[in-house]
Amino acid sequence: MSQIQLLPAVEKFLAQPGRLFIGGTWQDAASGRRFAVENPANECVLAEVAEGGERDVDTAVAAARAAFTGVWAQQSPAQRGLLLFRLAELLDQYREELAQLITLENGKPIATARGEAASAANIIRYFAGWPTKIEGSTLPVSPSSGAPMLNYTLREPVGVCALIVPWNFPLTMCVWKLGPVLATGCVAVLKPAEQTPLVAIRLVQLIEAAGFPPGVVNLVTGLGIHTGAPLAQHPDVDKIAFTGSTQVGRLIAQAATGNMKKVSLELGGKSPNIILPDADIVRAAKGAADGIFYNQGQVCTAGSRLYVHASVLDQVLEELQRHAAAHVLGPGLDPASSMGPLVSARQLGSVSAYLQRGQEEGAELICGGARPAHLERGHFIQPSVFLDRAERACVAREEIFGPVLTVMSWTEIDELVLRANDSPYGLAAGLWTRDLRSAHRVAAQLKAGSVWINCWNVVDPASPFGGYKQSGWGREMSKNVIDAYTETKSVFVDLA
């Protein structure tokens, strides 16, 4: 396999120890501890990074609070927007460097990583336009006293925000949260996933280079139990924003009750993808395959439940097998690879266990189901398709977070909608059809935060993103997320 050459800047970055960024200073963890970051494609150590703990979290939160009440509060909305525009330019300038770091620590193909880096710049650029557009309003109140009264509202930043982000989109998830934080005038303590801290470190280096004042963005790398938990529980954090599993989201919500900090959660999913008999079957099957195999299936919105009308089931299964077989598994730095490894040995073990359980519970394995024989190292798993006619196996019910698709057939549309909604999750759903009446009718009945018709996984910073039920609280992106990082203050003035 021929892999792309690492940029000299990337090699230099990897040779330097990763450090915490607190109050504008790069520093080691108070304990002096470090942890290794692995390349999931070859299981080799890429770099060592500071392992922050409770003392580092305390210091970072204090630095953020000082910046929030001090230098950052003195910045005008226009100045905040300018800083964000500068950051977007830097993200564009160093796009290839960022992409290579994403691929090295996450494993995804370099083309996908380049797309993620480009998306990050566009997201920051979108939020750069918001600071000068956050506004209050005047309200026509009618006080019982009859006195003339002016009532107006102000939108003010929430304050210190703890941002805990996952490993599947290590750069995108950082900017999804940092964008609105910085646009609204809040400050941040960022905790990236321990599997993928490197691109977060490089991002914060660019934030520093863009000219953001010290303490506005602080970075504490480390493990969830030693770093994330004290951050979630911290009494001087005003808001916590978390993306990850529903299980950990519950713990985050419980931790927030100490000081009743605001919480936004973007959690798991088991998203239904539906093919109607009138759909363009070739296009729909490709969309279904892309919807589950993209990013090795490590996507919260992965279309992992595919409902196919019985009349086209055989044709769809044939197409799915063809798309699965066409994937080239290999290291993400090899341009020929279309599917990289899973992020860790733990994730590989979890997905492998689901593949075994699915067969034991009666699901029929159509293709895949094993590690590729030609790759001796790395956390690789074949793209896999199950057919579960009873829809009772774990692979049809539980989030797997791997390239595993479970196909079910259906005949009656009303029953189909009930089955599609029969899940504790409600993050996304999809529908493939040529009939616009059916499309709008079914879309209106699906309990999901995003519904895609004849497409999948379309996300835009101007459109809200989030889930129903146990897929989360609140919305990311768009004007909706601005509300999540601001408080509304109502002011009454007696004009008598």
Side-chain angles (χ1 to χ4, degrees):
M1 293 185 177
S2 177
Q3 299 191 30
I4 66 170
Q5 186 71 34
L6 290 181
L7 294 172
V10 172
E11 294 180 332
K12 181 179 179 181
F13 175 88
L14 294 174
Q16 299 170 347
R19 309 176 80 188
L20 313 180
F21 188 67
I22 299 176
T25 302
W26 293 95
Q27 55 195 265
D28 293 325
S31 66
R33 289 196 296 265
R34 311 187 69 77
F35 66 96
V37 180
E38 179 193 82
N39 182 339
N42 58 22
E43 304 175 52
C44 295
V45 173
L46 282 169
E48 290 194 342
V49 174
E51 184 181 333
E54 189 170 353
R55 282 185 291 170
D56 304 299
V57 168
D58 287 341
T59 305
V61 172
R65 177 65 63 190
F68 179 67
T69 58
V71 62
W72 194 231
Q74 299 168 12
Q75 298 277 325
S76 69
Q79 289 171 320
R80 294 200 306 271
L82 181 59
L83 287 169
L84 283 163
F85 275 119
R86 288 176 182 166
L87 177 58
E89 291 171 356
L90 289 172
L91 290 170
D92 276 334
Q93 181 179 344
Y94 294 99
R95 182 184 302 176
E96 181 63 17
E97 186 178 326
L98 293 164
Q100 290 187 12
L101 288 173
I102 291 170
T103 292
L104 283 169
E105 62 181 347
N106 170 275
K108 67 182 63 181
I110 187 64
T112 306
R114 286 167 178 158
E116 181 174 345
S119 174
N122 290 335
I123 290 165
I124 290 296
R125 191 170 289 112
Y126 169 81
F127 282 109
W130 263 109
T132 56
K133 299 166 186 68
I134 301 171
E135 58 187 21
S137 58
T138 56
L139 304 173
V141 295
S142 304
S144 58
S145 66
M149 198 74 64
L150 170 65
N151 177 227
Y152 62 90
T153 62
L154 301 172
R155 303 292 296 181
E156 298 180 345
V158 166
V160 177
C161 301
L163 312 178
I164 301 179
V165 299
W167 44 259
N168 57 335
F169 293 95
L171 179 59
T172 301
M173 292 294 99
C174 286
V175 300
W176 268 34
K177 290 173 170 50
L178 283 169
V181 163
L182 300 173
T184 55
C186 294
V187 292
V189 179
L190 174 66
K191 192 273 177 194
E194 55 262 35
Q195 297 89 342
T196 55
L198 300 179
V199 76
I201 294 172
R202 187 68 185 106
L203 169 64
V204 173
Q205 289 178 350
L206 296 180
I207 288 172
E208 181 185 24
F212 285 87
V216 172
V217 176
N218 304 273
L219 174 71
V220 183
T221 53
L223 310 182
I225 190 171
H226 298 136
T227 312
L231 186 56
Q233 297 165 0
H234 203 285
D236 203 30
V237 168
D238 301 300
K239 175 183 170 60
I240 183 163
F242 170 77
T243 296
S245 71
T246 297
Q247 180 183 5
V248 176
R250 291 191 185 99
L251 299 176
I252 295 287
Q254 293 169 8
T257 61
N259 67 338
M260 298 302 292
K261 56 175 62 70
K262 294 183 177 299
V263 179
S264 56
L265 303 171
E266 196 265 283
L267 306 176
K270 189 68 176 175
S271 300
N273 201 356
I274 299 166
I275 298 180
L276 270 61
D278 69 297
D280 180 333
I281 300 304
V282 172
R283 179 185 176 193
K286 183 181 187 306
D290 292 344
I292 185 62
F293 299 144
Y294 169 68
N295 207 46
Q296 296 72 250
Q298 299 171 135
V299 185
C300 54
T301 55
S304 53
R305 289 189 291 152
L306 182 63
Y307 292 93
V308 182
H309 192 270
S311 64
V312 294
L313 178 62
D314 290 343
Q315 183 181 355
V316 169
L317 287 174
E318 183 179 337
E319 288 290 319
L320 291 172
Q321 291 180 75
R322 184 173 65 83
H323 287 295
H327 272 290
V328 178
L329 276 69
L333 289 179
D334 183 348
S337 299
S338 63
M339 182 175 288
L342 299 177
V343 76
S344 66
R346 179 180 179 180
Q347 191 65 18
L348 176 61
S350 175
V351 173
S352 298
Y354 270 112
L355 290 167
Q356 181 176 345
R357 280 181 58 201
Q359 295 175 76
E360 292 171 351
E361 294 175 4
E364 178 187 349
L365 184 65
I366 302 299
C367 64
R371 294 194 54 162
H374 69 287
L375 294 169
E376 297 181 357
R377 296 179 63 84
H379 310 308
F380 293 92
I381 196 76
Q382 294 172 337
S384 305
V385 178
F386 281 100
L387 175 62
D388 186 4
R389 298 183 186 277
E391 199 175 344
R392 293 176 182 170
C394 62
V395 292
R397 309 296 300 173
E398 300 175 23
E399 184 176 35
I400 300 173
F401 228 64
V404 181
L405 176 64
T406 304
V407 181
M408 285 78 64
S409 65
W410 64 275
T411 54
E412 299 295 331
I413 191 74
D414 292 333
E415 178 193 7
L416 164 70
V417 172
L418 292 175
R419 291 166 61 189
N421 287 334
D422 183 19
S423 170
Y425 301 109
L427 190 57
L431 180 68
W432 300 82
T433 179
R434 290 187 174 97
D435 185 345
L436 285 178
R437 292 174 298 176
S438 296
H440 290 297
R441 176 189 169 196
V442 175
Q445 296 178 78
L446 292 171
K447 303 301 182 184
S450 295
V451 178
W452 294 300
I453 299 173
N454 295 327
C455 57
W456 191 268
N457 221 27
V458 179
V459 180
D460 189 278
S463 180
F465 179 89
Y468 286 27
K469 298 184 278 188
Q470 294 183 37
S471 286
W473 292 348
R475 293 294 181 267
E476 304 269 12
M477 316 292 269
S478 79
K479 64 180 181 180
N480 297 64
V481 78
I482 300 299
D483 294 341
Y485 289 92
T486 55
E487 298 273 21
T488 300
K489 178 182 288 181
S490 179
V491 179
F492 285 87
V493 181
D494 190 338
L495 300 178

